[in-house]
Amino acid sequence: MNNKTFFIVFFFLILTFGLSAQQKPNVIYIYADDLGYGDLSCYGATKIATPNIDRLSKQGIRFTNAHSTSATCTPSRYALMTGQYPWRKSGTGVLPGDAALIVPTYRTTLPKLFRMAGYKTGIVGKWHLGLGTAVEKNWNGEISPGPNDVGFDYSFIFPATADRVPTVFLENHYVVARDSADPIEVSYRNKVGNEPTGKDHPELLKMKSSPGHGHDQTIVNGIGRIGYMSGGKTSRWTDEEMPLTFLQKAKNFIDENKGHPFFLYYSLTEPHVPRMPSTMFKGKSGLGYRGDAILQLDWAVGEIMKQVKAAGLEKNTIIIFSSDNGPVLDDGYQDEAVTKLNGHTPWGALRGGKYSAFEAGTRVPFIVSWPGTIKSKISSALICQIDLLASFSSLLHQAIPATDAIDSENIIDALTGKSTKGRLVLVKQGGALSIIKGNWKYIEPTDGPSIYALVSIESGFLKTPQLYNLNEDIGERNNLAETYPDIVKEMSLLLEAIKKKTSR
């Protein structure tokens, strides 16, 4: 082979490889925080408009029977990352801000799957799955393991939630803008340093805390938080600028990786408390700061869509939008979410909300857009966020060991509109465990309060079995357990069998 022929063949191989790599779709997973089934205009909201998410819905599939695994954030995120029901592992409840990492570094995770397929992987936003190997950690040095150790090439996060300390950004393994002369100390047991607390100095608060929620400890940016923190003055973000920083980092990741396939997990903070939207959104919704935060969320989604289009990636990018659990209004701060509700129904036609075993706890918005590949439609397929791992395993032809992601199912045909059928059975966690099969939902007997008093949300707890026909009674008002004892027995036995499952 002469030199000319060699270079022609070499160039052809490079071109072919390049085209093959580019043909892998980029994937952006946008995860809202505490957004309800009825919070978006494309899901029926009439008191608030979300035009950007509506546009995403119109160019893709809007699912009406999509679920997180759990009615709170940490377990839902654990399931998304691992493909495992969180109730199988102890310590997956809502974590404090100083918790150790709960995602196993030795298991296949969603970002690891993409990385195996040759993708650049990044997370920007809320993490809330723990950091380091222990509660006690040096916030002023390298903090590991974390997102980078479970599959992300790049991470820009805050550790837990906006209402918990430490209120700092971490880029990869380090706190951003840390200052060795002003070391950070964090504790969820004892007060550290001399920082004022919301309990002792309510006059310093620009947003009052609701009694009993624990948001009366260290004050940061005029807002009482859960937990105690001292030091790190230059590292602390303000609530108004924090989401804008996350947005810019997400846009940067898209721009920097547009030349090869990427997976971006963009984890929004809205509309989780404390709701302190950027100035340009304050007062715009007429529904208090919670409504304003939803407008800010919708705008951010629009900005991501613009960034994808400007990069020339629109036709080759899958954008998935969802929420980690259902809605809550008063979750610790007096921000007019209740007094300015003005007829808006964050839960839509569903019963319950965040923390609840009823549908509003875990049935969430879920939209998949892939212009040019997915046709616009509405799907009633039963799907769950836990299934993304097995589904992308199929799409990308990457095998998952039988010991990993044991609860994740391949529903890629439903996600891409090729089928109207999703999974057949789903177990959900909202205090009490429940199971869905077909049109039936069974909630196992659980002793506990019927209403979570602090948040005014029905728990779904009942000492006797509950059975609902969701096709006829989406609001779960008519308990049919006594009418159909055989179905109750069947569903109960099925739930017990799934609990005992240990491998595929």
Side-chain angles (χ1 to χ4, degrees):
M1 182 185 296
N2 60 39
N3 287 342
K4 183 177 180 181
T5 304
F6 172 79
F7 282 113
I8 290 172
V9 172
F10 180 76
F11 178 76
F12 176 77
L13 290 173
I14 292 295
L15 180 63
T16 301
F17 176 80
L19 289 174
S20 175
Q22 289 174 1
Q23 285 168 357
K24 291 179 181 179
N26 306 305
V27 178
I28 301 175
Y29 186 73
I30 304 176
Y31 214 18
D33 198 351
D34 291 358
L35 187 75
Y37 188 82
D39 271 327
L40 305 174
S41 41
C42 57
Y43 277 86
T46 59
K47 301 296 183 178
I48 192 168
T50 50
N52 294 299
I53 299 174
D54 291 0
R55 182 159 51 91
L56 191 72
S57 172
K58 287 176 183 177
Q59 67 185 34
I61 304 174
R62 178 170 65 84
F63 289 88
T64 59
N65 195 12
H67 303 261
S68 60
T69 60
S70 313
T72 51
C73 50
T74 295
S76 293
R77 292 161 195 270
Y78 177 86
L80 173 70
M81 287 291 108
T82 65
Q84 181 187 59
Y85 284 131
W87 43 264
R88 294 194 189 279
K89 179 181 171 70
S90 62
T92 58
V94 179
L95 295 180
D98 60 354
L101 179 69
I102 61 171
V103 178
T105 57
Y106 54 88
R107 297 286 192 198
T108 305
T109 62
L110 188 60
K112 276 186 183 179
L113 181 81
F114 280 101
R115 197 158 68 180
M116 286 161 50
Y119 281 61
K120 292 293 184 181
T121 58
I123 173 175
V124 173
K126 174 177 174 176
W127 176 235
H128 210 181
L129 290 169
L131 296 166
T133 57
V135 168
E136 297 297 331
K137 56 182 65 73
N138 178 15
W139 292 98
N140 311 289
E142 183 178 12
I143 302 171
S144 180
N148 300 79
D149 304 283
V150 298
F152 290 107
D153 296 312
Y154 174 76
S155 68
F156 190 95
I157 62 167
F158 63 43
T161 61
D163 61 340
R164 288 167 168 79
V165 300
T167 54
V168 296
F169 295 125
L170 276 83
E171 189 164 28
N172 298 320
H173 291 123
Y174 296 91
V175 171
V176 174
R178 61 195 180 280
D179 180 1
S180 59
D182 186 26
I184 298 168
E185 188 176 356
V186 174
S187 176
Y188 277 72
R189 293 173 297 280
N190 304 301
K191 186 178 179 182
V192 293
N194 297 312
E195 301 273 343
T197 65
K199 180 180 180 180
D200 295 334
H201 293 279
E203 75 279 2
L204 299 178
L205 298 174
K206 65 182 180 184
M207 178 184 287
K208 292 183 179 180
S209 303
S210 300
H213 289 259
H215 296 102
D216 60 355
Q217 296 175 339
T218 299
I219 298 172
V220 180
N221 189 34
I223 299 172
R225 316 284 168 160
I226 298 174
Y228 299 102
M229 175 182 179
S230 67
K233 294 293 192 304
T234 60
S235 301
R236 300 184 187 189
W237 41 254
T238 59
D239 301 77
E240 292 88 343
E241 60 89 16
M242 174 257 295
L244 304 183
T245 301
F246 283 145
L247 174 61
Q248 188 59 52
K249 290 293 182 179
K251 292 167 72 174
N252 290 349
F253 182 85
I254 293 169
D255 186 60
E256 292 166 5
N257 293 282
K258 61 186 177 184
H260 44 74
F262 65 80
F263 167 63
L264 172 61
Y265 173 32
Y266 177 36
S267 183
L268 297 160
T269 64
E270 300 96 336
H272 193 285
V273 296
R275 300 157 188 142
M276 186 56 65
S278 302
T279 303
M280 61 180 171
F281 294 103
K282 287 180 180 177
K284 298 297 184 182
S285 70
L287 302 179
Y289 280 176
R290 184 177 187 275
D292 298 343
I294 292 173
L295 294 185
Q296 180 168 285
L297 176 157
D298 179 71
W299 171 78
V301 172
E303 289 297 296
I304 293 295
M305 294 169 71
K306 288 179 185 177
Q307 186 73 20
V308 169
K309 186 173 183 178
L313 303 174
E314 189 175 26
K315 297 290 186 181
N316 196 40
T317 300
I318 300 171
I319 299 180
I320 302 173
F321 176 88
S322 193
S323 176
D324 61 350
N325 50 249
V328 60
L329 298 180
D330 181 359
D331 205 17
Y333 297 96
Q334 298 176 34
D335 59 3
E336 299 181 315
V338 176
T339 57
K340 287 190 175 180
L341 196 57
N342 294 337
H344 176 56
T345 52
W347 43 85
L350 308 178
R351 187 178 180 184
K354 184 178 180 178
Y355 310 110
S356 175
F358 289 127
E359 282 296 279
T362 50
R363 188 179 293 224
V364 290
F366 197 100
I367 297 165
V368 180
S369 170
W370 189 1
T373 300
I374 291 178
K375 295 181 179 179
S376 177
K377 64 187 298 185
I378 299 172
S379 175
S380 60
L382 175 62
I383 67 169
C384 182
Q385 295 160 8
I386 199 172
D387 297 322
L388 291 183
L389 227 168
S391 300
F392 280 107
S393 167
S394 173
L395 183 68
L396 301 174
H397 307 293
Q398 298 293 323
I400 301 174
T403 53
D404 295 353
I406 64 172
D407 299 304
S408 188
E409 296 186 10
N410 177 15
I411 57 166
I412 193 63
D413 286 347
L415 293 176
T416 54
K418 296 177 181 178
S419 174
T420 58
K421 295 183 179 180
R423 56 159 60 226
L424 298 177
V425 175
L426 175 64
V427 178
K428 305 196 296 176
Q429 174 190 28
L433 287 183
S434 63
I435 184 168
I436 292 177
K437 181 181 179 183
N439 59 308
W440 293 107
K441 177 179 177 180
Y442 165 78
I443 305 176
E444 67 177 0
T446 307
D447 191 7
S450 60
I451 294 178
Y452 292 119
L454 282 177
V455 291
S456 300
I457 290 175
E458 291 182 284
S459 66
F461 293 162
L462 198 64
K463 293 181 181 179
T464 56
Q466 296 176 73
L467 182 71
Y468 300 99
N469 185 330
L470 296 179
N471 281 2
E472 300 175 358
D473 179 25
I474 193 67
E476 296 171 284
R477 298 296 175 185
N478 187 15
N479 184 2
L480 300 174
E482 293 185 1
T483 307
Y484 298 100
D486 291 345
I487 296 177
V488 168
K489 183 177 180 181
E490 175 193 349
M491 299 285 276
S492 175
L493 290 173
L494 181 58
L495 178 57
E496 290 305 311
I498 292 172
K499 286 181 184 179
K500 294 176 182 177
K501 177 182 175 182
T502 56
S503 64
R504 284 199 270 203

